[in-house]
Amino acid sequence: LSIIRPMASEPFTSHLRKVASAGVMTVGGDTLRRALDQIFVQHPRVKSYVLDDQERLRKHVVIFCDGVRIDGGDDLARPIAANAEIYVLQALSGG
């Protein structure tokens, strides 16, 4: 966590907000993964919805960071701006 810097906001879809018990969250971190880790500490159940057992982004989850789609893998290590907007979306199926 960086000292004296604005923090990234991380809105979740309505389904993930039920698991996280929060809508927009403000977290610190200089990479996308570190920002996500802040969420996982506060809301451990979210991690299994977002990452698989190999710590990779699940196939049915997409993340947008400042309007750029994150595909997982090394993209989770990408640096983020102090005021980055991160959207975590989960595809749902069923009828």
Side-chain angles (χ1 to χ4, degrees):
L1 186 58
S2 298
I3 300 171
I4 310 175
R5 85 180 228 168
M7 298 190 180
S9 65
E10 192 148 359
F12 286 97
T13 58
S14 60
H15 177 73
L16 289 175
R17 281 195 303 263
K18 292 176 186 174
V19 178
S21 302
V24 175
M25 302 180 76
T26 303
V27 296
D30 56 355
T31 67
L32 179 56
R33 179 56 197 254
R34 287 185 182 142
L36 288 172
D37 285 342
Q38 295 265 325
I39 299 298
F40 301 152
V41 167
Q42 296 174 38
H43 303 282
R45 290 178 44 202
V46 172
K47 185 174 182 177
S48 66
Y49 283 88
V50 176
L51 301 179
D52 64 17
D53 58 351
Q54 304 281 314
E55 300 282 315
R56 293 182 297 222
L57 193 61
R58 288 192 177 276
K59 292 179 183 176
H60 63 277
V61 172
V62 65
I63 296 176
F64 287 89
C65 183
D66 289 332
V68 176
R69 182 181 173 148
I70 305 301
D71 292 320
D74 293 337
D75 280 353
L76 294 178
R78 78 179 303 143
I80 60 172
N83 60 348
E85 289 188 354
I86 303 162
Y87 293 88
V88 181
L89 310 170
Q90 182 182 32
L92 299 176
S93 62

